[in-house]
Amino acid sequence: MNRLKKLLGHNETYLGAVIVVFALIITIVNPAFIKLDNLFGLMKSSSGTAILAIGFLLVLLTGDVDVSAPAIAISAQYIAVNTLIAIDSNSLLLAFVIAIVVGLVYGAINAFFITTFKLPALIVTLGTANLFHGGLLEFVGTKAVNTGQLPDAFKVFGHASIFDLTRADGSSYGLSIFIAVVAVLLLVTWLILRFTLMGRGIYAIGGDAESARRAGFNIKRIQYFIYMYVGLLAGIMGILHISLIRYGNPNYIVDTELLRVIAAVVLGGAVITGGKGTLVGTILGVTMITILEKNLVLIGLSSYWQQFFVGLIIVVGVALTHIQATLRSHHKVVVIKSQ
Amino acid sequence: MGELFLEARNISKAYEGVQALDNVGLSLGKGSIHCLVGENGSGKSTLIKIIGGVVTSDAGEIVIDGGHFHHLSAIESIREGIQIIYQDLSLFPNLTVAENISLNQMVERRTQVVDWKEIRAIAERALVELGEEIDLNILVEDLSVARKQVVAIGRALTQNAKLIIMDEPTSAITREEVDHLFEVIHRLKAKGIGTLFVSHKLNEVFEIAETVTVLRDGRKVGDYDASDLTNDKLTFLMTGETIEYHPYTVDSQVVSEPPVLEVRNLTRKDEYTDVSFSVRRGEILGITGLIGSGRTEVALSVCGLNQPHSGEILVESEPVTIGSPRKANQLGISYLPEDRLTQGLFQHQSIGDNTVIAILRRLLSKLGLIDWTEKTRVQDHWVNELAIKTPSAEVSASSLSGGNQQRVVLAKWLATEPKVFFLDGPTIGIDIGSKSNIHEIIRELARKGMAIVMISDEIEEVRNNCNRILIMRKGRIAGEIEDPTSVDDAEIFRQISGKNGSEVPRT
Amino acid sequence: MTQKQANNVTLVIVFLAVTAVMSIFLPDKFLTVINFQSIVSQFPEYGLMALGIMLAMTTGGIDLSLVSITSISGVTAATVLVQYANWGLPPTVVIILAIVAALAVAAACGILNGLLITFANVPAIIATLGTNGLFLGIAIVVTKGSGISGFPEEFLVIGNGRLLGIPVPFLIFIGVAVLVGLLMNRSRLGFEMRMLGASPTVSQFSSVNNRAVLIKTHILTALMAGIASIIIISRVNSMRPGYGSAYLLITVLIVVLGGTDPAGGFSTTLGTVLAIVTLQVLTSGLNILAFTPFFRKFIWGLLLLGVMVIHYYRRRYYEKRVTQAARNAPPTPEGQT
């Protein structure tokens, strides 16, 4: 009974319920939705968003926003791929190493500006996003890497699966290895957040930064960790992304992923002022966004309704969450504000 | 005093030429309950920071349990068992009670991996030691201030505290909670853990303090037996001057006038019930009560910030509904909020902008634009009128001292020319010298015909400045004192707390 | 000199430096009427959006839906314009109708944003993130995903015409900027916006109607996007939903560069205009020097970081001076707090 009560107190429970209802509706209209191959496909195509969302959540937990992750992802991807082509290598491992190194360095640059000059992360990362992406296009290149040029390792990785199943017609499909990557990253991040002092420090900073400092947390070190971790995640996401679409355009990811990632994390119940938010919520948020984006066509809505519904769901979702929070707050005077 | 635990000897500290502490000494016995008082700027916070190792002294030494320290560091201070609980309590609202209690210890031990069983165990031990019960899984943001305080004390215990320093611990909790806090302090004392209260006024903490140390202008005035101190004596020790109050009276003609504001049977669920009162021109009506007695809530309702559920408000005998502060303003009702820094003052905006924000409408030219010359005139007028100490009205309000900041907030409301002026805690956090100054301004306003409602939990303040006092207890008006000169503080306190005799503060 | 003025001086110095370098090294290309005209006709559309963001930021919020509002109001105007032949109305009337319709739709978007923020208490950054998708979605649904083009000749004057040799978009921008300047420095609403941004609690206690101020702010912000959309569709002679999505980051960058505090409470219209002009001159210079637009992006990022670092050092300098001044001041009877 107590457990149930606790469950009902969580935002995740409601989001989960909405997703189930949604999935049911789509299934009724179009039973193809619930088929495993469709679900596997959805999971695979949303894995990049999920990885960026994990990073975004970490930063949001401290009450900050990092908008440079997509720029880091594309930079890491493009630099890694072009390096491999240049030295005629076909090593996926090398690609990951390069992308991760780029991500860590770029993350460190963010952390440097944020910690040294005590600047708001939103503004710093807005600047570095332009710096990283502009720098990439100017100094590395603008040409797309087409499928023919792409080292085989990426294509193999993009097709690799954890296990395969066979359809009625004899063709086979599988659960992409991407899911394993996301699962490992989720597990690692969860362990960090839950079982390390670093992770608790992240929540502590989001709760009250000054108290965290007084408690003896090394705020600077935690911030370096967070932004470099975001860089690392972005690097991995970059490699997954090119392996999925088998095409490398240095203008991809940058303008498309950011809003989707923010929407997923916020729908997942993370609070913009920091300190509150869970990985479960974030993954549910990604699921919600993915189902919305990829399945409206399945229930007979033309594709141009998609944007509208995604927007509508986010607006209604956040409005309900915040109205509920306001009703629950114990404040005597409700202050009308825009932050 | 018994065995000494901590002794600060000949401590001096200067900040860029200003002597914050000059050869100050402080001795605390093991398990003693001690109080350190002084006005803002007297050096008490600097002394605390030096004992906590956050600030290094220029001269002098600190002896803790026989160990001598010339440059005590924060870590050493904590290792020696000194814990400071700041007024904001430094808790994490988004984390559970268990984590809030245990986290500091985990950080100090530099354990990188968090063992949740251990976190619970540490927290449980601390609460058992305190003799308190709080659900370990509750988020701290869902606790009352008093419970949060217990969590903060529990956290201090996890770090083997031998001396807990508490900054103004009773300013935001109810009387029952204060009594409870004192029980906890006594329990700590029984375990040999001492408490040092830091305060800038005479208040509840004097009830259990054994010794009081008074600081003034960076120097120690002396150590006193708490039972020997009275309010007047303490004021004298803290300021070096005796401040005389003349009771505020109104002539009989005023009393016969119809009230400017009348409140009938005002009720707001869970906050206050069936509150009725009225106030006339020239009156200073005091409303006093403990935190949670409903005193502030009633004022918020009358001033349009907190809708009442039932009841009537009449302004100059006309029934009105006040749905917003703007409406209150139009009716001639103004409210000076209790929290100056977060509700009253735009700290980083100029004094002038602060002054005119509520009267912008009056500064508009025919074109509907703000008349800058008129604005300058108005703001300069108020800077002069209230003697705000500043080179110019264009200076940021944050550069002013507390007393001058409060004058800026006063100016904002006086500019609206209110008929009824609610002042909620008009001198909270303001030095005694500046305080009497603000009281004089308020009296002058009333003499000129404004109706003033002064809300305060400082009994002395309302008794000295009001011609009539309402006492609120648990959301109701519990009594009215028609002639404040006829009663003493102890009597008012009895009415406020609804208790008889035994726990009257020594004033 | 206040911090605000100091920031404007920094921008003027950057502006003059860029102009001087360009003029000295490339007088034949930079100092031409054509170049001037191209400079001033390029920035008005995102300059207007930047002014809009500035208004929202003054209140401590932001409007991430601005680009989508441009889309939806642009689509509205375009829809009206292409219908004109069917209605048999004179082009001028149709154009006025189109503009009014576009601005009305923009205002409606602003109202929705304002309602979400003030009635549902959703932080502006999240509310407008959501409506961003919603507005764009509506624009896409209305156009069924394709573009609208073919407007009356007379309409194209707005985006491409010249008056006394000065491009019309620039004139519109100057006019709007002056109005915004008046709003922020001389009007009651502007004053209240700034104070609300500094502290919503204090402003509410000071009898400011926070709800009305915030709703009005978001309407004005949206109107900036509405005006920008008219210029855009006239200049391009077509409307495609999603046009200008890259402007979002640029406009935020401009406003911060101009010296507006993203936390609210401080903004400067002059600073924003200076930032817009400086960036555009820099862009134009880089274009003449045959630098790619990518390099421009890189430089903009660098510039934002550089200016923020300068802000940091200047703030430290001021704080030091203020605390010193406070300490050197003769002790007042009530002492210092």
Side-chain angles (χ1 to χ4, degrees), chain C residues 95-247:
Chain C
I95 290 170
I96 291 172
L97 268 180
I99 293 175
V100 170
L103 295 184
V105 167
C109 293
I111 292 176
L112 180 62
N113 282 336
L115 292 179
L116 274 174
I117 293 163
T118 61
F119 280 92
N121 296 321
V122 186
I125 187 168
I126 297 179
T128 57
L129 175 79
T131 54
N132 176 62
L134 188 65
F135 298 153
L136 182 62
I138 296 172
I140 294 173
V141 170
V142 170
T143 58
K144 302 208 164 39
S146 57
I148 301 173
S149 57
F151 306 138
E153 278 293 317
E154 294 85 343
F155 179 70
L156 305 183
V157 173
I158 297 173
N160 305 292
R162 301 220 164 90
L163 203 70
L164 302 172
I166 304 168
V168 175
F170 179 67
L171 292 174
I172 296 176
F173 173 77
I174 291 298
V176 174
V178 168
L179 287 177
V180 170
L182 269 181
L183 170 81
M184 293 316 295
N185 295 309
R186 294 293 301 278
S187 81
R188 178 175 166 198
L189 177 61
F191 197 105
E192 291 184 340
M193 283 165 63
R194 179 161 57 83
M195 298 305 256
L196 188 154
S199 167
T201 314
V202 180
S203 80
Q204 191 164 322
F205 273 83
S206 302
S207 80
V208 171
N209 187 342
N210 283 10
R211 194 165 272 160
V213 171
L214 285 176
I215 293 175
K216 283 181 198 162
T217 303
H218 282 275
I219 293 175
L220 287 171
T221 298
L223 283 177
M224 296 295 145
I227 302 171
S229 78
I230 303 289
I231 295 178
I232 292 171
I233 66 170
S234 167
R235 191 174 61 76
V236 189
N237 192 13
S238 77
M239 179 61 221
R240 185 176 48 78
Y243 175 89
S245 59
Y247 282 157

Side-chain angles (χ1 to χ4, degrees), chain A residues 126 133 138 259 334 336 338-339, chain C residues 59-60 124 204 210 292 297:
Chain A
L126 192 62
H133 191 229
E138 178 64 26
L259 294 186
V334 178
I336 312 289
S338 56
Q339 277 168 314
Chain C
T59 64
Q204 191 164 322
N210 283 10
T292 60
K297 200 172 181 183

